[in-house]
Amino acid sequence: MTNRSYGFWVTACRLASLLLCANLAATLYAVYSQKFGFSSAMLALIFATYTVVLVPALLACGQLSDRFGRRPVILAGLVAGIAGLVLFALADSVAWLFAGRALQGLSVAMISGAAVAALSELEPTGDAWRSALLAALALTGGSALGPLIGGAIAEWAPDQLVLPYLAGIALLAAVTVAGSPIPETVTSRRGKWRIQRPGVPAEIRGPFIRIGVTGAAVWSVAALFLSVLPSYTTDITGTTNLALLGLVASVMLASSCVSQLLVRTVATRTAALAAGLGFLAIGLVGLVLASPLHAVAYLIVGAVIAGVGHGVGFLAAQHDLNRIAPEDRRGEVSSAFYTCIYLGVSVSVIGVGLLGDASSLYTGIVVFSAITGSAALVVAAWQLLANRGQGIRPHRRESLRVMRGRA
């Protein structure tokens, strides 16, 4: 195996490992809630701290790896991730949880852009689609494994609020050492560092709105499964088995990974974005029905269907974004896209938490599902109309020609 091929796979493992560790605590927040006595709203704020730190850090760190190289930025992100896990392992108050989540948000912001760029540069055959797919799978798969592994360790091993993080620290330390032979892919380090502001050219704002709302919708549903679904499952089933709760929380993203692999070529078609949003809305129906029917089967089926919607919708949105973004503003448009995603995640998780405190967790989930599902269906219909040529104005024919040339 060549250094580039080795670096390609180890970089993907680093990205997946970091996302795994960032979600180890997903099933443990209910335990922290009992230990420290905080509410659903406080849980939502702790979870959202990750996003609140990640968005500005993503904009600030976007050009660091271009200027200083991929290797030092990824290394710094891994160190920040380890520091976040140390804070969780030592936590004896809510403040430690906030600090740990903030460091995790910073670490993901530092690594995500650098690692995705490195994957593209290290791919042995220069296959851009293969590197993009692997990046998406690393992000989604790592997020899915976090609650599953964290819940299993916490349920069946001693020191449930310490041992999962020690395992995470060991994993990040291992991938840090394993990455030592990876070659640096940045040769030019010229230019002045600046914060990269998100922006969208006027000629692609219509398609971008559909893409941005899709990204925000699919990832806000994923965040819901990772944050409050363990508590929701406990309300339905009465179980406090952390391994089972971790399994339920990870089913949605596991289904997303499988769907991305199965439909990776179909998802390049423009109708795939609408299909993904449709599946997402159907999955939310199962989520809402599970509580009044006291049927965990509806919850699992809803999670699987929503996961299919997440995988197809996100892959299609990422493909469409690459297709329409001008080459000289690709980084700027990508920053705008991920800003939409993380803002959607933050607002939805905090909103569900506040409604859970004011009324009930079920009320928060119903309101979230109604708003997100309706928005998904509206954008899906808009996408289908746009596919028939109704969404492009006559004076933008040149933009259409350029976009078709890139498809």
Side-chain angles (χ1 to χ4, degrees):
M1 182 181 292
T2 65
N3 278 350
R4 294 183 68 84
S5 181
Y6 174 82
F8 179 70
W9 292 106
V10 172
T11 298
C13 289
R14 283 176 151 189
L15 183 59
S17 297
L18 189 71
L19 269 294
L20 185 159
C21 292
N23 290 286
L24 278 174
T27 55
L28 300 177
Y29 287 124
V31 180
Y32 284 121
S33 177
Q34 294 177 357
K35 181 178 179 179
F36 299 140
F38 57 76
S39 63
S40 297
M42 183 63 72
L43 168 60
L45 290 173
I46 293 170
F47 191 87
T49 299
Y50 171 87
T51 304
V52 171
V53 172
L54 194 151
V55 171
L58 186 65
L59 300 179
C61 298
Q63 296 182 9
L64 285 181
S65 68
D66 292 331
R67 182 173 176 81
F68 300 109
R70 313 296 183 210
R71 283 168 51 93
V73 173
I74 292 175
L75 177 61
L78 289 169
V79 171
I82 291 173
L85 292 175
V86 169
L87 292 181
F88 270 98
L90 297 175
D92 60 4
S93 70
V94 176
W96 289 75
L97 303 183
F98 275 105
R101 285 300 282 173
L103 276 174
Q104 288 178 337
L106 177 63
S107 67
V108 172
M110 295 182 73
I111 284 186
S112 55
V116 170
L119 284 173
S120 178
E121 294 156 355
L122 290 168
E123 209 289 318
T125 63
D127 187 341
W129 175 249
R130 183 168 175 250
S131 63
L133 178 62
L134 189 60
L137 289 172
L139 288 165
T140 309
S143 299
L145 287 172
L148 182 64
I149 293 176
I153 295 174
E155 179 63 30
W156 292 312
D159 251 338
Q160 63 180 190
L161 296 182
V162 175
L163 196 58
Y165 307 117
L166 294 182
I169 291 170
L171 174 61
L172 291 186
V175 296
T176 299
V177 173
S180 299
I182 297 176
E184 178 57 72
T185 57
V186 174
T187 56
S188 175
R189 301 181 183 182
R190 295 174 296 177
K192 183 179 179 181
W193 176 82
R194 63 181 175 84
I195 294 177
Q196 188 177 37
R197 294 178 297 173
V200 180
E203 63 270 17
I204 65 168
R205 283 178 187 164
F208 178 84
I209 290 173
R210 296 193 295 274
I211 293 168
V213 172
T214 299
V218 298
W219 276 105
S220 65
V221 173
L224 184 75
F225 274 81
L226 292 172
S227 58
V228 302
L229 252 291
S231 298
Y232 186 56
T233 305
T234 297
D235 290 345
I236 295 172
T237 64
T239 184
T240 57
N241 185 298
L242 296 175
L244 177 60
L245 296 178
L247 176 62
V248 173
S250 65
V251 161
M252 187 264 195
L253 288 175
S255 173
S256 174
C257 288
V258 173
S259 70
Q260 288 179 45
L261 286 170
L262 293 178
V263 302
R264 57 187 182 274
T265 54
V266 177
T268 62
R269 301 174 185 172
T270 52
L273 188 145
L277 290 170
F279 279 117
L280 193 77
I282 295 171
L284 288 172
V285 172
L287 184 66
V288 170
L289 291 177
S291 182
L293 296 177
H294 298 285
V296 73
Y298 281 88
L299 185 60
I300 299 298
V301 171
V304 171
I305 296 174
V308 172
H310 178 280
V312 175
F314 180 56
L315 202 56
Q318 186 67 65
H319 175 267
D320 281 357
L321 184 76
N322 293 339
R323 181 174 61 87
I324 68 172
E327 291 184 5
D328 60 339
R329 300 185 65 179
R330 192 175 300 279
E332 187 180 5
V333 173
S334 295
S335 293
F337 175 62
Y338 282 101
T339 298
C340 290
I341 287 176
Y342 290 121
L343 287 177
V345 166
S346 182
V347 170
S348 63
V349 170
I350 292 174
V352 170
L354 292 175
L355 283 172
D357 266 6
S359 180
S360 68
L361 181 58
Y362 179 68
T363 299
I365 288 175
V366 169
V367 173
F368 167 85
S369 299
I371 294 174
T372 305
S374 298
L377 292 176
V378 168
V379 175
W382 184 12
Q383 175 72 4
L384 292 174
L385 290 174
N387 290 344
R388 297 176 182 176
Q390 299 179 18
I392 301 173
R393 298 178 185 178
H395 68 276
R396 294 182 180 172
R397 289 176 182 173
E398 179 61 21
S399 298
L400 175 59
R401 185 188 65 78
V402 172
M403 286 189 286
R404 282 177 174 170
R406 291 176 181 169

